Amino acid sequence: MALITLIYVSSAVRSVSYSDIQDILRQSREANGKKGITGLLLFQDGNFMQVLEGNAEFVDELHQKISNDPRHGGIITLFREPILTRSFSDWKMGFKDIGDLTEDEKAGRSDYLELPLNDALYISNPNEAFILLQAFRNTVR
């Protein structure tokens, strides 16, 4: 079974409530668990960044489903690469709203927390997106 990691960014086409995000997380955790997909979803001011890991066929199928979801717009795939081991193996779908970080949580971190998740930096250098996701790997709920 070939494992891949896929990272994309997108923007919500309408305002997203806490309840909307909880519904997305509940559904994705249930579906991802059945297909062995792991990952992390970051949210900030109406923008998403998500990493998905798992069997290439299942991850690509999920990415296509997300791409067709009318709640998303401006979807940009940052990268899709084979991996030997998962970086987010503990999460069927972890989540962090980085727009809600306190000043204490931001202290000592780089200025990248001030960038929108769909910033040109992440598009031109997808490794920066991976670094951002990794920074929250152990602080998600």
Side-chain angles (χ1 to χ4, degrees), residues 1-140:
M1 170 173 57
L3 291 176
I4 65 164
T5 185
L6 184 144
I7 298 177
Y8 74 89
V9 293
S10 69
S11 299
V13 297
R14 63 172 178 79
S15 180
V16 179
S17 70
Y18 179 78
S19 176
D20 293 333
I21 290 175
Q22 292 307 307
D23 287 343
I24 291 168
L25 291 172
R26 182 183 39 75
Q27 292 169 7
S28 53
R29 287 171 178 156
E30 182 179 326
N32 291 355
K34 292 177 183 174
K35 298 216 175 181
I37 295 173
T38 57
L40 172 62
L41 175 66
L42 299 180
F43 178 76
Q44 180 188 36
D45 300 327
N47 295 308
F48 297 96
M49 179 183 289
Q50 185 170 38
V51 57
L52 301 168
E53 300 174 324
N55 173 285
E57 179 182 347
F58 295 149
V59 169
D60 288 338
E61 180 182 284
L62 176 57
H63 185 249
Q64 187 61 48
K65 181 179 176 183
I66 292 166
S67 297
N68 293 333
D69 188 328
R71 297 175 291 185
H72 290 271
I75 295 177
I76 300 169
T77 302
L78 300 180
F79 70 84
R80 179 195 180 279
E81 299 288 333
I83 55 174
L84 297 176
T85 60
R86 298 171 190 248
S87 295
F88 300 89
S89 60
D90 294 338
W91 297 104
K92 291 178 188 169
M93 189 46 56
F95 173 74
K96 187 73 170 180
D97 183 343
I98 62 175
D100 283 346
L101 295 177
T102 65
E103 289 305 314
D104 285 343
E105 290 173 309
K106 289 181 184 180
R109 296 190 189 243
S110 301
D111 292 335
Y112 64 83
L113 290 177
E114 302 302 323
L115 299 174
L117 293 174
N118 59 354
D119 191 83
L121 169 72
Y122 301 123
I123 296 165
S124 65
N125 188 353
N127 284 330
E128 294 293 330
F130 189 74
I131 291 167
L132 176 64
L133 289 154
Q134 286 279 19
F136 291 102
R137 182 177 69 186
N138 298 320
T139 65
V140 297

